[in-house]
Amino acid sequence: MSGAELFIREDLGLSDSHTEVLVGCSNVYMLVSIVAVGWAGDVLGRRATLMLANALLMAGALAMALGGSYAALMAACFVTSLGSGFVPVVVPVYNAEISPASSRGVLSTLLDMFINAGSLLGYVSN
């Protein structure tokens, strides 16, 4: 969001407070999904919860690309944040369930490494 922030502010004519709320809302919205992910993982199963998370991430990204207003971006950010909250909880559990014991630790650690590497690359590319 940091690279697009200036363009969003200019294109939509947002004030500083609107921009701050838009940028910071994803962490607050993730709380909803982090609370619900345990229930979803138990009821739907790990694989179905991962598919739901991927669907939410894709739908949110598409809605952000097509959204032309502040309200549309906030709604799309909410949908994307739901998917983003599911991933760090369900992926390590599912990964530990399906991976062989000899490589379980490495495969479970890769998620954290790639999330941090992706964040770093995102900031560097901006």
Side-chain angles (χ1 to χ4, degrees):
M1 186 66 94
S2 63
E5 178 183 340
L6 297 173
F7 300 109
I8 291 171
R9 181 186 305 192
E10 183 180 312
D11 289 344
L12 298 179
L14 300 179
S15 66
D16 288 340
S17 60
H18 282 106
T19 306
E20 290 170 3
V21 170
L22 181 65
V23 170
C25 70
S26 62
N27 292 329
V28 175
Y29 290 158
M30 263 194 253
L31 291 174
V32 175
S33 62
I34 289 172
V35 169
V37 71
W39 173 82
D42 289 339
V43 171
L44 300 174
R46 312 291 187 259
R47 184 178 293 177
T49 305
L50 283 175
M51 288 191 293
L52 175 63
N54 286 327
L56 289 169
L57 288 168
M58 287 189 296
L62 181 64
M64 280 188 201
L66 299 176
S69 68
Y70 180 71
L73 285 176
M74 288 294 285
C77 187
F78 179 73
V79 172
T80 305
S81 296
L82 288 178
S84 296
F86 277 16
V87 170
V89 177
V90 175
V91 168
V93 175
Y94 181 69
N95 207 359
E97 288 175 353
I98 65 169
S99 60
S102 62
S103 60
R104 190 171 294 149
V106 172
L107 293 174
S108 296
T109 305
L110 286 177
L111 172 71
D112 293 328
M113 289 174 48
F114 287 134
I115 286 174
N116 290 319
S119 297
L120 176 66
L121 290 174
Y123 283 117
V124 169
S125 70
N126 288 333

PDB file of all heavy atoms in Angstrom, residues 15-59:
ATOM      1  N   SER A  15      -8.235  13.076   1.908  1.00  0.00           N
ATOM      2  CA  SER A  15      -7.534  13.870   2.915  1.00  0.00           C
ATOM      3  C   SER A  15      -6.493  12.991   3.598  1.00  0.00           C
ATOM      4  O   SER A  15      -6.444  11.779   3.395  1.00  0.00           O
ATOM      5  CB  SER A  15      -8.533  14.401   3.950  1.00  0.00           C
ATOM      6  OG  SER A  15      -9.089  13.325   4.678  1.00  0.00           O
ATOM      7  N   ASP A  16      -5.664  13.605   4.417  1.00  0.00           N
ATOM      8  CA  ASP A  16      -4.643  12.853   5.137  1.00  0.00           C
ATOM      9  C   ASP A  16      -5.270  11.822   6.071  1.00  0.00           C
ATOM     10  O   ASP A  16      -4.789  10.698   6.170  1.00  0.00           O
ATOM     11  CB  ASP A  16      -3.749  13.789   5.949  1.00  0.00           C
ATOM     12  CG  ASP A  16      -2.823  14.611   5.072  1.00  0.00           C
ATOM     13  OD1 ASP A  16      -2.589  14.208   3.915  1.00  0.00           O
ATOM     14  OD2 ASP A  16      -2.333  15.657   5.543  1.00  0.00           O
ATOM     15  N   SER A  17      -6.339  12.193   6.749  1.00  0.00           N
ATOM     16  CA  SER A  17      -6.966  11.259   7.690  1.00  0.00           C
ATOM     17  C   SER A  17      -7.600  10.075   6.958  1.00  0.00           C
ATOM     18  O   SER A  17      -7.522   8.933   7.431  1.00  0.00           O
ATOM     19  CB  SER A  17      -8.000  11.971   8.558  1.00  0.00           C
ATOM     20  OG  SER A  17      -9.019  12.528   7.753  1.00  0.00           O
ATOM     21  N   HIS A  18      -8.211  10.312   5.801  1.00  0.00           N
ATOM     22  CA  HIS A  18      -8.773   9.205   5.021  1.00  0.00           C
ATOM     23  C   HIS A  18      -7.671   8.255   4.546  1.00  0.00           C
ATOM     24  O   HIS A  18      -7.846   7.033   4.561  1.00  0.00           O
ATOM     25  CB  HIS A  18      -9.564   9.725   3.815  1.00  0.00           C
ATOM     26  CG  HIS A  18     -10.917  10.221   4.168  1.00  0.00           C
ATOM     27  ND1 HIS A  18     -11.210  11.556   4.203  1.00  0.00           N
ATOM     28  CD2 HIS A  18     -12.051   9.566   4.513  1.00  0.00           C
ATOM     29  CE1 HIS A  18     -12.468  11.718   4.547  1.00  0.00           C
ATOM     30  NE2 HIS A  18     -13.006  10.520   4.745  1.00  0.00           N
ATOM     31  N   THR A  19      -6.572   8.820   4.126  1.00  0.00           N
ATOM     32  CA  THR A  19      -5.452   7.996   3.666  1.00  0.00           C
ATOM     33  C   THR A  19      -4.881   7.170   4.809  1.00  0.00           C
ATOM     34  O   THR A  19      -4.583   5.985   4.638  1.00  0.00           O
ATOM     35  CB  THR A  19      -4.358   8.885   3.063  1.00  0.00           C
ATOM     36  OG1 THR A  19      -4.932   9.708   2.046  1.00  0.00           O
ATOM     37  CG2 THR A  19      -3.247   8.061   2.458  1.00  0.00           C
ATOM     38  N   GLU A  20      -4.746   7.772   5.976  1.00  0.00           N
ATOM     39  CA  GLU A  20      -4.223   7.052   7.132  1.00  0.00           C
ATOM     40  C   GLU A  20      -5.136   5.894   7.527  1.00  0.00           C
ATOM     41  O   GLU A  20      -4.663   4.802   7.843  1.00  0.00           O
ATOM     42  CB  GLU A  20      -4.050   8.003   8.307  1.00  0.00           C
ATOM     43  CG  GLU A  20      -2.929   9.003   8.109  1.00  0.00           C
ATOM     44  CD  GLU A  20      -2.923  10.086   9.166  1.00  0.00           C
ATOM     45  OE1 GLU A  20      -3.763  10.029  10.100  1.00  0.00           O
ATOM     46  OE2 GLU A  20      -2.088  10.987   9.065  1.00  0.00           O
ATOM     47  N   VAL A  21      -6.425   6.127   7.511  1.00  0.00           N
ATOM     48  CA  VAL A  21      -7.379   5.065   7.859  1.00  0.00           C
ATOM     49  C   VAL A  21      -7.329   3.958   6.818  1.00  0.00           C
ATOM     50  O   VAL A  21      -7.335   2.766   7.161  1.00  0.00           O
ATOM     51  CB  VAL A  21      -8.804   5.637   8.006  1.00  0.00           C
ATOM     52  CG1 VAL A  21      -9.831   4.525   8.111  1.00  0.00           C
ATOM     53  CG2 VAL A  21      -8.884   6.544   9.213  1.00  0.00           C
ATOM     54  N   LEU A  22      -7.254   4.312   5.555  1.00  0.00           N
ATOM     55  CA  LEU A  22      -7.200   3.311   4.489  1.00  0.00           C
ATOM     56  C   LEU A  22      -5.941   2.453   4.602  1.00  0.00           C
ATOM     57  O   LEU A  22      -6.005   1.226   4.455  1.00  0.00           O
ATOM     58  CB  LEU A  22      -7.250   3.995   3.119  1.00  0.00           C
ATOM     59  CG  LEU A  22      -7.217   3.077   1.910  1.00  0.00           C
ATOM     60  CD1 LEU A  22      -8.461   2.208   1.864  1.00  0.00           C
ATOM     61  CD2 LEU A  22      -7.091   3.888   0.635  1.00  0.00           C
ATOM     62  N   VAL A  23      -4.822   3.063   4.900  1.00  0.00           N
ATOM     63  CA  VAL A  23      -3.568   2.324   4.992  1.00  0.00           C
ATOM     64  C   VAL A  23      -3.530   1.466   6.257  1.00  0.00           C
ATOM     65  O   VAL A  23      -3.065   0.332   6.236  1.00  0.00           O
ATOM     66  CB  VAL A  23      -2.365   3.298   4.953  1.00  0.00           C
ATOM     67  CG1 VAL A  23      -1.071   2.590   5.286  1.00  0.00           C
ATOM     68  CG2 VAL A  23      -2.274   3.953   3.583  1.00  0.00           C
ATOM     69  N   GLY A  24      -4.047   1.966   7.350  1.00  0.00           N
ATOM     70  CA  GLY A  24      -3.948   1.256   8.621  1.00  0.00           C
ATOM     71  C   GLY A  24      -5.079   0.305   8.937  1.00  0.00           C
ATOM     72  O   GLY A  24      -5.001  -0.453   9.904  1.00  0.00           O
ATOM     73  N   CYS A  25      -6.131   0.318   8.130  1.00  0.00           N
ATOM     74  CA  CYS A  25      -7.313  -0.477   8.469  1.00  0.00           C
ATOM     75  C   CYS A  25      -7.092  -1.983   8.327  1.00  0.00           C
ATOM     76  O   CYS A  25      -7.772  -2.765   8.988  1.00  0.00           O
ATOM     77  CB  CYS A  25      -8.507  -0.046   7.635  1.00  0.00           C
ATOM     78  SG  CYS A  25      -8.376  -0.477   5.889  1.00  0.00           S
ATOM     79  N   SER A  26      -6.173  -2.402   7.502  1.00  0.00           N
ATOM     80  CA  SER A  26      -6.029  -3.843   7.254  1.00  0.00           C
ATOM     81  C   SER A  26      -5.636  -4.602   8.513  1.00  0.00           C
ATOM     82  O   SER A  26      -6.101  -5.724   8.733  1.00  0.00           O
ATOM     83  CB  SER A  26      -5.032  -4.100   6.135  1.00  0.00           C
ATOM     84  OG  SER A  26      -3.765  -3.624   6.489  1.00  0.00           O
ATOM     85  N   ASN A  27      -4.807  -4.015   9.358  1.00  0.00           N
ATOM     86  CA  ASN A  27      -4.423  -4.697  10.600  1.00  0.00           C
ATOM     87  C   ASN A  27      -5.613  -4.840  11.542  1.00  0.00           C
ATOM     88  O   ASN A  27      -5.749  -5.859  12.222  1.00  0.00           O
ATOM     89  CB  ASN A  27      -3.287  -3.958  11.290  1.00  0.00           C
ATOM     90  CG  ASN A  27      -2.010  -4.029  10.509  1.00  0.00           C
ATOM     91  OD1 ASN A  27      -1.760  -5.000   9.814  1.00  0.00           O
ATOM     92  ND2 ASN A  27      -1.212  -2.990  10.595  1.00  0.00           N
ATOM     93  N   VAL A  28      -6.464  -3.850  11.586  1.00  0.00           N
ATOM     94  CA  VAL A  28      -7.652  -3.932  12.434  1.00  0.00           C
ATOM     95  C   VAL A  28      -8.637  -4.943  11.857  1.00  0.00           C
ATOM     96  O   VAL A  28      -9.213  -5.749  12.587  1.00  0.00           O
ATOM     97  CB  VAL A  28      -8.307  -2.542  12.576  1.00  0.00           C
ATOM     98  CG1 VAL A  28      -9.606  -2.619  13.351  1.00  0.00           C
ATOM     99  CG2 VAL A  28      -7.353  -1.573  13.232  1.00  0.00           C
ATOM    100  N   TYR A  29      -8.808  -4.931  10.544  1.00  0.00           N
ATOM    101  CA  TYR A  29      -9.724  -5.871   9.907  1.00  0.00           C
ATOM    102  C   TYR A  29      -9.255  -7.319  10.060  1.00  0.00           C
ATOM    103  O   TYR A  29     -10.069  -8.232  10.137  1.00  0.00           O
ATOM    104  CB  TYR A  29      -9.877  -5.556   8.423  1.00  0.00           C
ATOM    105  CG  TYR A  29     -10.617  -4.291   8.105  1.00  0.00           C
ATOM    106  CD1 TYR A  29     -10.439  -3.660   6.893  1.00  0.00           C
ATOM    107  CD2 TYR A  29     -11.495  -3.713   9.001  1.00  0.00           C
ATOM    108  CE1 TYR A  29     -11.123  -2.508   6.565  1.00  0.00           C
ATOM    109  CE2 TYR A  29     -12.178  -2.558   8.699  1.00  0.00           C
ATOM    110  CZ  TYR A  29     -11.991  -1.964   7.479  1.00  0.00           C
ATOM    111  OH  TYR A  29     -12.668  -0.827   7.167  1.00  0.00           O
ATOM    112  N   MET A  30      -7.943  -7.526  10.114  1.00  0.00           N
ATOM    113  CA  MET A  30      -7.415  -8.886  10.257  1.00  0.00           C
ATOM    114  C   MET A  30      -7.820  -9.511  11.583  1.00  0.00           C
ATOM    115  O   MET A  30      -7.873 -10.734  11.694  1.00  0.00           O
ATOM    116  CB  MET A  30      -5.903  -8.887  10.126  1.00  0.00           C
ATOM    117  CG  MET A  30      -5.422  -9.247   8.760  1.00  0.00           C
ATOM    118  SD  MET A  30      -3.693  -9.615   8.779  1.00  0.00           S
ATOM    119  CE  MET A  30      -3.059  -8.171   7.991  1.00  0.00           C
ATOM    120  N   LEU A  31      -8.084  -8.706  12.591  1.00  0.00           N
ATOM    121  CA  LEU A  31      -8.506  -9.251  13.875  1.00  0.00           C
ATOM    122  C   LEU A  31      -9.772 -10.099  13.741  1.00  0.00           C
ATOM    123  O   LEU A  31      -9.930 -11.100  14.432  1.00  0.00           O
ATOM    124  CB  LEU A  31      -8.732  -8.126  14.883  1.00  0.00           C
ATOM    125  CG  LEU A  31      -7.500  -7.378  15.347  1.00  0.00           C
ATOM    126  CD1 LEU A  31      -7.890  -6.193  16.220  1.00  0.00           C
ATOM    127  CD2 LEU A  31      -6.570  -8.294  16.094  1.00  0.00           C
ATOM    128  N   VAL A  32     -10.661  -9.690  12.859  1.00  0.00           N
ATOM    129  CA  VAL A  32     -11.901 -10.438  12.644  1.00  0.00           C
ATOM    130  C   VAL A  32     -11.594 -11.847  12.142  1.00  0.00           C
ATOM    131  O   VAL A  32     -12.127 -12.839  12.658  1.00  0.00           O
ATOM    132  CB  VAL A  32     -12.814  -9.703  11.636  1.00  0.00           C
ATOM    133  CG1 VAL A  32     -14.048 -10.517  11.313  1.00  0.00           C
ATOM    134  CG2 VAL A  32     -13.189  -8.331  12.162  1.00  0.00           C
ATOM    135  N   SER A  33     -10.724 -11.947  11.165  1.00  0.00           N
ATOM    136  CA  SER A  33     -10.436 -13.260  10.596  1.00  0.00           C
ATOM    137  C   SER A  33      -9.566 -14.107  11.514  1.00  0.00           C
ATOM    138  O   SER A  33      -9.713 -15.332  11.554  1.00  0.00           O
ATOM    139  CB  SER A  33      -9.767 -13.117   9.233  1.00  0.00           C
ATOM    140  OG  SER A  33      -8.544 -12.446   9.355  1.00  0.00           O
ATOM    141  N   ILE A  34      -8.680 -13.496  12.268  1.00  0.00           N
ATOM    142  CA  ILE A  34      -7.838 -14.268  13.170  1.00  0.00           C
ATOM    143  C   ILE A  34      -8.687 -14.908  14.268  1.00  0.00           C
ATOM    144  O   ILE A  34      -8.427 -16.031  14.690  1.00  0.00           O
ATOM    145  CB  ILE A  34      -6.708 -13.389  13.742  1.00  0.00           C
ATOM    146  CG1 ILE A  34      -5.708 -13.079  12.630  1.00  0.00           C
ATOM    147  CG2 ILE A  34      -6.024 -14.039  14.915  1.00  0.00           C
ATOM    148  CD1 ILE A  34      -4.648 -12.084  13.002  1.00  0.00           C
ATOM    149  N   VAL A  35      -9.724 -14.216  14.710  1.00  0.00           N
ATOM    150  CA  VAL A  35     -10.631 -14.784  15.698  1.00  0.00           C
ATOM    151  C   VAL A  35     -11.443 -15.930  15.086  1.00  0.00           C
ATOM    152  O   VAL A  35     -11.705 -16.936  15.728  1.00  0.00           O
ATOM    153  CB  VAL A  35     -11.561 -13.684  16.265  1.00  0.00           C
ATOM    154  CG1 VAL A  35     -12.672 -14.271  17.088  1.00  0.00           C
ATOM    155  CG2 VAL A  35     -10.755 -12.694  17.086  1.00  0.00           C
ATOM    156  N   ALA A  36     -11.804 -15.804  13.815  1.00  0.00           N
ATOM    157  CA  ALA A  36     -12.684 -16.792  13.173  1.00  0.00           C
ATOM    158  C   ALA A  36     -11.945 -17.959  12.531  1.00  0.00           C
ATOM    159  O   ALA A  36     -12.576 -18.960  12.189  1.00  0.00           O
ATOM    160  CB  ALA A  36     -13.530 -16.093  12.113  1.00  0.00           C
ATOM    161  N   VAL A  37     -10.653 -17.871  12.359  1.00  0.00           N
ATOM    162  CA  VAL A  37      -9.940 -18.893  11.589  1.00  0.00           C
ATOM    163  C   VAL A  37      -9.897 -20.242  12.299  1.00  0.00           C
ATOM    164  O   VAL A  37      -9.944 -21.287  11.644  1.00  0.00           O
ATOM    165  CB  VAL A  37      -8.530 -18.414  11.208  1.00  0.00           C
ATOM    166  CG1 VAL A  37      -7.615 -18.369  12.410  1.00  0.00           C
ATOM    167  CG2 VAL A  37      -7.932 -19.308  10.144  1.00  0.00           C
ATOM    168  N   GLY A  38      -9.833 -20.261  13.599  1.00  0.00           N
ATOM    169  CA  GLY A  38      -9.842 -21.538  14.310  1.00  0.00           C
ATOM    170  C   GLY A  38     -11.144 -22.290  14.091  1.00  0.00           C
ATOM    171  O   GLY A  38     -11.147 -23.494  13.820  1.00  0.00           O
ATOM    172  N   TRP A  39     -12.237 -21.560  14.192  1.00  0.00           N
ATOM    173  CA  TRP A  39     -13.550 -22.163  13.949  1.00  0.00           C
ATOM    174  C   TRP A  39     -13.671 -22.630  12.503  1.00  0.00           C
ATOM    175  O   TRP A  39     -14.129 -23.741  12.235  1.00  0.00           O
ATOM    176  CB  TRP A  39     -14.643 -21.153  14.276  1.00  0.00           C
ATOM    177  CG  TRP A  39     -15.998 -21.635  13.904  1.00  0.00           C
ATOM    178  CD1 TRP A  39     -16.798 -22.459  14.629  1.00  0.00           C
ATOM    179  CD2 TRP A  39     -16.712 -21.330  12.699  1.00  0.00           C
ATOM    180  NE1 TRP A  39     -17.961 -22.684  13.950  1.00  0.00           N
ATOM    181  CE2 TRP A  39     -17.937 -22.007  12.763  1.00  0.00           C
ATOM    182  CE3 TRP A  39     -16.418 -20.548  11.577  1.00  0.00           C
ATOM    183  CZ2 TRP A  39     -18.879 -21.931  11.749  1.00  0.00           C
ATOM    184  CZ3 TRP A  39     -17.354 -20.480  10.578  1.00  0.00           C
ATOM    185  CH2 TRP A  39     -18.566 -21.158  10.661  1.00  0.00           C
ATOM    186  N   ALA A  40     -13.250 -21.797  11.572  1.00  0.00           N
ATOM    187  CA  ALA A  40     -13.343 -22.156  10.151  1.00  0.00           C
ATOM    188  C   ALA A  40     -12.476 -23.364   9.831  1.00  0.00           C
ATOM    189  O   ALA A  40     -12.874 -24.247   9.067  1.00  0.00           O
ATOM    190  CB  ALA A  40     -12.951 -20.975   9.277  1.00  0.00           C
ATOM    191  N   GLY A  41     -11.293 -23.431  10.408  1.00  0.00           N
ATOM    192  CA  GLY A  41     -10.409 -24.565  10.176  1.00  0.00           C
ATOM    193  C   GLY A  41     -10.982 -25.865  10.704  1.00  0.00           C
ATOM    194  O   GLY A  41     -10.813 -26.923  10.093  1.00  0.00           O
ATOM    195  N   ASP A  42     -11.672 -25.795  11.830  1.00  0.00           N
ATOM    196  CA  ASP A  42     -12.275 -26.999  12.392  1.00  0.00           C
ATOM    197  C   ASP A  42     -13.527 -27.418  11.634  1.00  0.00           C
ATOM    198  O   ASP A  42     -13.750 -28.597  11.395  1.00  0.00           O
ATOM    199  CB  ASP A  42     -12.621 -26.789  13.863  1.00  0.00           C
ATOM    200  CG  ASP A  42     -11.390 -26.720  14.749  1.00  0.00           C
ATOM    201  OD1 ASP A  42     -10.330 -27.213  14.312  1.00  0.00           O
ATOM    202  OD2 ASP A  42     -11.493 -26.168  15.855  1.00  0.00           O
ATOM    203  N   VAL A  43     -14.358 -26.465  11.260  1.00  0.00           N
ATOM    204  CA  VAL A  43     -15.624 -26.781  10.590  1.00  0.00           C
ATOM    205  C   VAL A  43     -15.414 -27.131   9.119  1.00  0.00           C
ATOM    206  O   VAL A  43     -15.915 -28.145   8.634  1.00  0.00           O
ATOM    207  CB  VAL A  43     -16.620 -25.604  10.733  1.00  0.00           C
ATOM    208  CG1 VAL A  43     -17.854 -25.817   9.878  1.00  0.00           C
ATOM    209  CG2 VAL A  43     -17.001 -25.420  12.189  1.00  0.00           C
ATOM    210  N   LEU A  44     -14.659 -26.300   8.407  1.00  0.00           N
ATOM    211  CA  LEU A  44     -14.470 -26.503   6.973  1.00  0.00           C
ATOM    212  C   LEU A  44     -13.325 -27.454   6.659  1.00  0.00           C
ATOM    213  O   LEU A  44     -13.293 -28.042   5.583  1.00  0.00           O
ATOM    214  CB  LEU A  44     -14.196 -25.163   6.282  1.00  0.00           C
ATOM    215  CG  LEU A  44     -15.265 -24.087   6.398  1.00  0.00           C
ATOM    216  CD1 LEU A  44     -14.764 -22.797   5.781  1.00  0.00           C
ATOM    217  CD2 LEU A  44     -16.553 -24.541   5.740  1.00  0.00           C
ATOM    218  N   GLY A  45     -12.371 -27.553   7.552  1.00  0.00           N
ATOM    219  CA  GLY A  45     -11.157 -28.307   7.273  1.00  0.00           C
ATOM    220  C   GLY A  45     -10.065 -27.359   6.824  1.00  0.00           C
ATOM    221  O   GLY A  45     -10.328 -26.240   6.383  1.00  0.00           O
ATOM    222  N   ARG A  46      -8.831 -27.812   6.926  1.00  0.00           N
ATOM    223  CA  ARG A  46      -7.694 -26.937   6.610  1.00  0.00           C
ATOM    224  C   ARG A  46      -7.644 -26.580   5.130  1.00  0.00           C
ATOM    225  O   ARG A  46      -7.441 -25.435   4.760  1.00  0.00           O
ATOM    226  CB  ARG A  46      -6.372 -27.593   6.996  1.00  0.00           C
ATOM    227  CG  ARG A  46      -6.295 -28.190   8.364  1.00  0.00           C
ATOM    228  CD  ARG A  46      -6.304 -27.154   9.473  1.00  0.00           C
ATOM    229  NE  ARG A  46      -6.069 -27.818  10.747  1.00  0.00           N
ATOM    230  CZ  ARG A  46      -7.033 -28.114  11.609  1.00  0.00           C
ATOM    231  NH1 ARG A  46      -8.273 -27.800  11.353  1.00  0.00           N
ATOM    232  NH2 ARG A  46      -6.755 -28.711  12.753  1.00  0.00           N
ATOM    233  N   ARG A  47      -7.840 -27.555   4.266  1.00  0.00           N
ATOM    234  CA  ARG A  47      -7.748 -27.307   2.820  1.00  0.00           C
ATOM    235  C   ARG A  47      -8.850 -26.352   2.362  1.00  0.00           C
ATOM    236  O   ARG A  47      -8.587 -25.415   1.599  1.00  0.00           O
ATOM    237  CB  ARG A  47      -7.841 -28.618   2.061  1.00  0.00           C
ATOM    238  CG  ARG A  47      -7.647 -28.434   0.569  1.00  0.00           C
ATOM    239  CD  ARG A  47      -7.689 -29.731  -0.158  1.00  0.00           C
ATOM    240  NE  ARG A  47      -6.505 -30.505   0.235  1.00  0.00           N
ATOM    241  CZ  ARG A  47      -6.276 -31.733  -0.181  1.00  0.00           C
ATOM    242  NH1 ARG A  47      -7.123 -32.344  -0.945  1.00  0.00           N
ATOM    243  NH2 ARG A  47      -5.180 -32.355   0.184  1.00  0.00           N
ATOM    244  N   ALA A  48     -10.063 -26.559   2.820  1.00  0.00           N
ATOM    245  CA  ALA A  48     -11.165 -25.682   2.424  1.00  0.00           C
ATOM    246  C   ALA A  48     -10.960 -24.267   2.975  1.00  0.00           C
ATOM    247  O   ALA A  48     -11.306 -23.279   2.305  1.00  0.00           O
ATOM    248  CB  ALA A  48     -12.497 -26.248   2.903  1.00  0.00           C
ATOM    249  N   THR A  49     -10.397 -24.169   4.163  1.00  0.00           N
ATOM    250  CA  THR A  49     -10.114 -22.841   4.726  1.00  0.00           C
ATOM    251  C   THR A  49      -9.050 -22.127   3.910  1.00  0.00           C
ATOM    252  O   THR A  49      -9.140 -20.920   3.687  1.00  0.00           O
ATOM    253  CB  THR A  49      -9.681 -22.964   6.198  1.00  0.00           C
ATOM    254  OG1 THR A  49     -10.687 -23.683   6.915  1.00  0.00           O
ATOM    255  CG2 THR A  49      -9.497 -21.613   6.835  1.00  0.00           C
ATOM    256  N   LEU A  50      -8.046 -22.857   3.436  1.00  0.00           N
ATOM    257  CA  LEU A  50      -7.036 -22.251   2.559  1.00  0.00           C
ATOM    258  C   LEU A  50      -7.646 -21.805   1.237  1.00  0.00           C
ATOM    259  O   LEU A  50      -7.304 -20.737   0.713  1.00  0.00           O
ATOM    260  CB  LEU A  50      -5.899 -23.228   2.304  1.00  0.00           C
ATOM    261  CG  LEU A  50      -4.900 -23.379   3.430  1.00  0.00           C
ATOM    262  CD1 LEU A  50      -3.892 -24.470   3.114  1.00  0.00           C
ATOM    263  CD2 LEU A  50      -4.193 -22.073   3.674  1.00  0.00           C
ATOM    264  N   MET A  51      -8.552 -22.600   0.689  1.00  0.00           N
ATOM    265  CA  MET A  51      -9.213 -22.191  -0.558  1.00  0.00           C
ATOM    266  C   MET A  51     -10.082 -20.957  -0.330  1.00  0.00           C
ATOM    267  O   MET A  51     -10.133 -20.059  -1.178  1.00  0.00           O
ATOM    268  CB  MET A  51     -10.034 -23.347  -1.122  1.00  0.00           C
ATOM    269  CG  MET A  51      -9.164 -24.449  -1.693  1.00  0.00           C
ATOM    270  SD  MET A  51     -10.048 -25.683  -2.656  1.00  0.00           S
ATOM    271  CE  MET A  51     -11.028 -26.470  -1.416  1.00  0.00           C
ATOM    272  N   LEU A  52     -10.747 -20.895   0.821  1.00  0.00           N
ATOM    273  CA  LEU A  52     -11.533 -19.707   1.162  1.00  0.00           C
ATOM    274  C   LEU A  52     -10.628 -18.484   1.294  1.00  0.00           C
ATOM    275  O   LEU A  52     -10.951 -17.402   0.795  1.00  0.00           O
ATOM    276  CB  LEU A  52     -12.313 -19.946   2.454  1.00  0.00           C
ATOM    277  CG  LEU A  52     -13.089 -18.756   3.010  1.00  0.00           C
ATOM    278  CD1 LEU A  52     -14.168 -18.312   2.035  1.00  0.00           C
ATOM    279  CD2 LEU A  52     -13.694 -19.111   4.357  1.00  0.00           C
ATOM    280  N   ALA A  53      -9.482 -18.654   1.946  1.00  0.00           N
ATOM    281  CA  ALA A  53      -8.542 -17.540   2.097  1.00  0.00           C
ATOM    282  C   ALA A  53      -8.059 -17.064   0.731  1.00  0.00           C
ATOM    283  O   ALA A  53      -7.989 -15.854   0.475  1.00  0.00           O
ATOM    284  CB  ALA A  53      -7.360 -17.962   2.963  1.00  0.00           C
ATOM    285  N   ASN A  54      -7.722 -17.994  -0.154  1.00  0.00           N
ATOM    286  CA  ASN A  54      -7.276 -17.609  -1.497  1.00  0.00           C
ATOM    287  C   ASN A  54      -8.377 -16.911  -2.276  1.00  0.00           C
ATOM    288  O   ASN A  54      -8.120 -15.941  -2.998  1.00  0.00           O
ATOM    289  CB  ASN A  54      -6.773 -18.825  -2.263  1.00  0.00           C
ATOM    290  CG  ASN A  54      -5.430 -19.286  -1.770  1.00  0.00           C
ATOM    291  OD1 ASN A  54      -4.619 -18.489  -1.347  1.00  0.00           O
ATOM    292  ND2 ASN A  54      -5.194 -20.590  -1.817  1.00  0.00           N
ATOM    293  N   ALA A  55      -9.600 -17.383  -2.144  1.00  0.00           N
ATOM    294  CA  ALA A  55     -10.725 -16.734  -2.829  1.00  0.00           C
ATOM    295  C   ALA A  55     -10.927 -15.313  -2.301  1.00  0.00           C
ATOM    296  O   ALA A  55     -11.177 -14.384  -3.084  1.00  0.00           O
ATOM    297  CB  ALA A  55     -11.991 -17.564  -2.646  1.00  0.00           C
ATOM    298  N   LEU A  56     -10.818 -15.142  -0.984  1.00  0.00           N
ATOM    299  CA  LEU A  56     -10.958 -13.799  -0.416  1.00  0.00           C
ATOM    300  C   LEU A  56      -9.835 -12.876  -0.874  1.00  0.00           C
ATOM    301  O   LEU A  56     -10.076 -11.703  -1.185  1.00  0.00           O
ATOM    302  CB  LEU A  56     -10.972 -13.877   1.114  1.00  0.00           C
ATOM    303  CG  LEU A  56     -12.222 -14.480   1.749  1.00  0.00           C
ATOM    304  CD1 LEU A  56     -11.995 -14.745   3.227  1.00  0.00           C
ATOM    305  CD2 LEU A  56     -13.417 -13.573   1.547  1.00  0.00           C
ATOM    306  N   LEU A  57      -8.611 -13.392  -0.928  1.00  0.00           N
ATOM    307  CA  LEU A  57      -7.488 -12.573  -1.395  1.00  0.00           C
ATOM    308  C   LEU A  57      -7.660 -12.168  -2.851  1.00  0.00           C
ATOM    309  O   LEU A  57      -7.405 -11.012  -3.221  1.00  0.00           O
ATOM    310  CB  LEU A  57      -6.173 -13.326  -1.199  1.00  0.00           C
ATOM    311  CG  LEU A  57      -5.703 -13.461   0.248  1.00  0.00           C
ATOM    312  CD1 LEU A  57      -4.571 -14.468   0.354  1.00  0.00           C
ATOM    313  CD2 LEU A  57      -5.275 -12.117   0.790  1.00  0.00           C
ATOM    314  N   MET A  58      -8.083 -13.099  -3.697  1.00  0.00           N
ATOM    315  CA  MET A  58      -8.276 -12.764  -5.116  1.00  0.00           C
ATOM    316  C   MET A  58      -9.443 -11.809  -5.311  1.00  0.00           C
ATOM    317  O   MET A  58      -9.342 -10.845  -6.092  1.00  0.00           O
ATOM    318  CB  MET A  58      -8.493 -14.038  -5.933  1.00  0.00           C
ATOM    319  CG  MET A  58      -7.219 -14.846  -6.092  1.00  0.00           C
ATOM    320  SD  MET A  58      -7.361 -16.205  -7.254  1.00  0.00           S
ATOM    321  CE  MET A  58      -8.572 -17.237  -6.484  1.00  0.00           C
ATOM    322  N   ALA A  59     -10.547 -12.032  -4.607  1.00  0.00           N
ATOM    323  CA  ALA A  59     -11.700 -11.143  -4.733  1.00  0.00           C
ATOM    324  C   ALA A  59     -11.371  -9.745  -4.229  1.00  0.00           C
ATOM    325  O   ALA A  59     -11.757  -8.740  -4.847  1.00  0.00           O
ATOM    326  CB  ALA A  59     -12.887 -11.721  -3.960  1.00  0.00           C
TER     327      ALA A  59
END
